[in-house]
Amino acid sequence: MAGETPTTVNKTKFGAPGAGDPVMFHPGLVGIKRKVNFAAFEAASGAAYALFGLPKAFVVTGAFIEETEFCTPGTIALKVADSADSTADKTVLSATSVGGSVKARGAAQLSTAVVLNEGDLVYMAATATSGATFPKGEVNLVVYGYTPYGDSLDNIEAPAYREIAQTQTNVAGLDPYQLTAVRRG
């Protein structure tokens, strides 16, 4: 429109000490999967089981469940545990029915992304329709999202990968999911 003046933009301030240089990065979509075999790991109904830790600032945008072997009838949900208050836990996959006549498959795209804090854990909450445990079945549980700064997993708190009847320890190192940012050029 006629008569308007352009915005005056100071083009020198961020060249001064105290401002970081622009950095281009490629966060990309990342999926983390954990397979749970209830025949080998009999889950108690209503208990919360840690699946994996994710880096601080990881942005969860969705989740996926696939029943690969028929489960005990019930529901499975995925949540992010709040380290200070369990009533503030965030649901990333609502309770999904398993153990029906057809193997369950479902995905949830979150309408509001969940940004993780340092020490947050993704956990599985399984509730049997009848009985105190999940004695059979197998599911793949997936959480996906992105790391906004290309961070690696060296800032996560994670549950032990193996602890019963295993002589060796997990030797994956600091980055078992291979999320380390790679500098090119």
Side-chain angles (χ1 to χ4, degrees):
M1 292 189 178
E4 290 186 20
T5 59
T7 302
T8 303
V9 178
N10 182 329
K11 297 179 182 174
T12 62
K13 189 66 171 174
F14 287 114
D21 294 335
V23 175
M24 182 179 285
F25 55 91
H26 308 279
L29 190 63
V30 174
I32 311 292
K33 177 182 88 166
R34 192 113 199 228
K35 182 180 294 246
V36 177
N37 184 330
F38 293 112
F41 162 74
E42 192 170 326
S45 182
Y49 292 100
L51 293 175
F52 39 73
L54 290 171
K56 178 178 73 171
F58 186 90
V59 180
V60 178
T61 59
F64 176 75
I65 182 172
E66 178 183 32
E67 185 177 10
T68 55
E69 293 180 18
F70 284 106
C71 293
T72 301
T75 61
I76 295 175
L78 297 180
K79 297 183 178 190
V80 176
D82 185 286
S83 58
D85 181 6
S86 64
T87 62
D89 289 359
K90 297 173 185 87
T91 300
V92 294
L93 180 68
S94 297
T96 302
S97 294
V98 294
S101 59
V102 176
K103 291 179 184 170
R105 288 183 85 203
Q109 185 72 27
L110 300 179
S111 58
T112 302
V114 174
V115 180
L116 301 187
N117 294 315
E118 190 165 0
D120 281 353
L121 291 171
V122 176
Y123 71 89
M124 173 190 73
T127 305
T129 302
S130 61
T133 63
F134 264 78
K136 67 174 190 164
E138 183 178 83
V139 291
N140 286 324
L141 302 170
V142 180
V143 170
Y144 54 89
Y146 58 92
T147 55
Y149 302 117
D151 286 346
S152 186
L153 296 180
D154 57 350
N155 64 2
I156 67 168
E157 179 181 323
Y161 290 113
R162 303 282 184 270
E163 60 184 50
I164 301 171
Q166 179 173 322
T167 57
Q168 73 277 12
T169 59
N170 178 30
V171 293
L174 293 178
D175 198 358
Y177 305 129
Q178 303 298 312
L179 292 181
T180 303
V182 177
R183 181 179 283 233
R184 291 186 167 77

